[in-house]
Amino acid sequence: MEVNIKEQIRTVFTRYLEANKCRKTTERYTILDAICDMEGRFTLEELSEKLTADNFIVSRATLYNTLRLLLSMRLVVKFVLPHGTWYEVGYKNENHCYQVCTVCGNIDELRTTALAAIVDNVRPKRFRKDGFIIYIYGVCSSCQSKMKRKARQKELKKGT
Amino acid sequence: MEVNIKEQIRTVFTRYLEANKCRKTTERYTILDAICDMEGRFTLEELSEKLTADNFIVSRATLYNTLRLLLSMRLVVKFVLPHGTWYEVGYKNENHCYQVCTVCGNIDELRTTALAAIVDNVRPKRFRKDGFIIYIYGVCSSCQSKMKRKARQKELKKGT
DNA sequence: ATGTATGCAAACCATTTGCAATGAC
DNA sequence: GTCATTGCAAATGGTTTGCATACAT
């Protein structure tokens, strides 16, 4: 991430901490920095590993606390999928369309700008909309062939 | 749920069990029936409670096993949301658009036919699409007012 | 000096697993 | 009789909590 964007984010964070009378701890800023350096989606485990690699050890509790803080101020977005939980820096307010294989759990991001534009135009009443996620569920081609292969084997066994 | 629809579902289930050489156990059919009688979304806990109320005790393991079976054949749909996991009978192959409040966790279903039609037309390559879910994230009006009230109180405290 | 934030370990909760017993075929 | 399915209890894994300590204000 660009350095001046990181600076902007730090500024937003500082303003938020001051406005809510929260303390400006080293942990909070270091975690924020690390999150900015993560590429795309990341798990809590991956974030922890990055911090460890940077020689900064934080407890799980602090990691969760800081993430909660960042989530509540919308600097980070959380994805809860059937196969795990991911986080992502949300400063761009990007929206997402995922194709999820319900067999192997693989997730691909679909780049369908048309679709995103439509959902973007939905304006719910009495609701502050922050973003949206579209999940398309199904079976990927690789799992489809595996299932066919398995069915064939059962059929063979039946003949025995 | 209508009796003859339940019958249809049982037939589909039986065909699936036979095709895959799975056993037709009392547990499986009883759980299927209970699921058909659930109204709308339900949690595993609620399903278990209903079965208990019907004097049918099943282990968690069997509940999860049967749900996995029903999920794999698309008779049931699973929703993993930040505030819990829900299931729903999926025989109508309905698609869904949810409005999720990230503060209180409340979920409302949006009836936006236009939106559903668009997503319906997305045809991913090399992927057997079974359905989709759209989550619109944000803050509901009731949580918005609570947040405003809280902010006012902090401001008062500051003045003291 | 005050009280918020942290670290640690224990607690928690939903889900999965291993294994012996049951029962569908 | 065979082996898939069940029930039980233990294990797992991610997240939260309680409490003593550290440190930002």
Side-chain angles (χ1 to χ4, degrees):
Chain A
M1 185 184 287
E2 277 183 55
V3 174
N4 64 339
I5 292 184
K6 281 177 76 168
E7 281 307 315
Q8 283 173 35
I9 293 181
R10 283 178 77 107
T11 308
V12 172
F13 191 45
T14 302
R15 272 205 289 269
Y16 182 89
L17 293 179
E18 286 170 354
N20 291 276
K21 301 177 192 33
C22 299
R23 292 187 180 162
K24 293 169 204 140
T25 63
T26 317
E27 285 80 3
R28 285 175 173 167
Y29 281 99
T30 312
I31 292 170
L32 179 67
D33 268 355
I35 286 174
C36 287
D37 290 338
M38 300 300 290
E39 313 231 324
R41 270 191 303 268
F42 60 90
T43 62
L44 187 124
E45 192 52 39
E46 286 162 357
L47 175 58
S48 172
E49 280 164 14
K50 180 179 171 35
L51 285 162
T52 306
D54 294 350
N55 280 310
F56 192 84
I57 311 295
V58 245
S59 69
R60 246 63 270 258
T62 302
L63 224 41
Y64 280 109
N65 281 338
T66 308
L67 276 171
R68 189 178 308 128
L69 205 60
L70 292 168
L71 283 166
S72 76
M73 60 183 296
R74 321 279 158 194
L75 271 181
V76 165
V77 176
K78 181 180 179 180
F79 303 83
V80 183
L81 299 180
H83 302 275
T85 301
W86 278 264
Y87 298 89
E88 193 169 271
V89 179
Y91 73 103
K92 278 190 201 165
N93 206 26
E94 273 179 5
N95 294 300
H96 301 275
C97 182
Y98 294 102
Q99 183 172 294
V100 183
C101 175
T102 51
V103 177
C104 65
N106 192 53
I107 299 166
D108 285 321
E109 184 143 12
L110 283 186
R111 285 277 165 222
T112 60
T113 47
L115 193 57
I118 304 279
V119 183
D120 228 16
N121 281 327
V122 177
R123 302 276 171 219
K125 304 278 179 228
R126 302 174 54 72
F127 190 83
R128 191 189 83 200
K129 181 176 148 191
D130 288 318
F132 63 83
I133 306 180
I134 300 174
Y135 297 130
I136 294 184
Y137 287 101
V139 186
C140 72
S141 56
S142 125
C143 284
Q144 281 179 58
S145 14
K146 274 179 202 158
M147 283 159 75
K148 280 177 195 158
R149 210 174 303 140
K150 206 174 161 190
R152 263 201 304 277
Q153 283 173 347
K154 280 232 170 184
E155 208 49 43
L156 278 173
K157 202 181 168 189
K158 190 186 175 184
T160 324
Chain B
M1 184 184 288
E2 278 182 54
V3 173
N4 65 338
I5 293 183
K6 281 177 75 168
E7 280 308 315
Q8 283 174 35
I9 293 180
R10 283 179 77 106
T11 308
V12 171
F13 191 45
T14 301
R15 270 206 290 269
Y16 182 89
L17 293 178
E18 285 170 353
N20 291 275
K21 299 176 194 33
C22 299
R23 291 185 181 164
K24 294 169 204 140
T25 63
T26 318
E27 285 80 4
R28 285 175 173 167
Y29 281 99
T30 312
I31 292 170
L32 179 66
D33 268 355
I35 286 174
C36 287
D37 290 338
M38 300 301 289
E39 312 232 325
R41 271 191 303 267
F42 59 90
T43 62
L44 187 124
E45 191 53 37
E46 286 162 357
L47 176 58
S48 172
E49 279 163 15
K50 184 184 170 29
L51 285 162
T52 306
D54 294 349
N55 282 309
F56 192 84
I57 311 294
V58 244
S59 68
R60 242 79 252 265
T62 302
L63 223 41
Y64 279 109
N65 280 338
T66 308
L67 276 172
R68 189 177 307 128
L69 205 60
L70 292 168
L71 283 166
S72 76
M73 61 183 296
R74 320 283 155 192
L75 272 181
V76 166
V77 177
K78 181 181 181 181
F79 303 83
V80 182
L81 299 180
H83 301 276
T85 301
W86 278 265
Y87 299 90
E88 193 169 270
V89 179
Y91 73 102
K92 280 189 199 163
N93 207 26
E94 274 179 3
N95 293 303
H96 302 274
C97 182
Y98 293 102
Q99 184 172 294
V100 183
C101 175
T102 50
V103 177
C104 66
N106 190 54
I107 300 165
D108 284 321
E109 183 144 13
L110 284 187
R111 285 275 167 224
T112 61
T113 47
L115 192 58
I118 304 280
V119 183
D120 228 15
N121 281 326
V122 176
R123 302 275 170 219
K125 304 277 180 229
R126 303 175 54 71
F127 190 82
R128 191 189 83 199
K129 180 175 148 192
D130 288 318
F132 61 83
I133 307 181
I134 301 173
Y135 296 129
I136 294 184
Y137 289 102
V139 185
C140 72
S141 56
S142 125
C143 285
Q144 280 178 58
S145 14
K146 275 180 202 158
M147 282 159 76
K148 279 177 197 159
R149 211 173 304 140
K150 206 175 162 189
R152 265 200 304 276
Q153 284 174 348
K154 279 233 170 185
E155 208 48 45
L156 279 172
K157 200 182 170 189
K158 192 186 174 184
T160 323

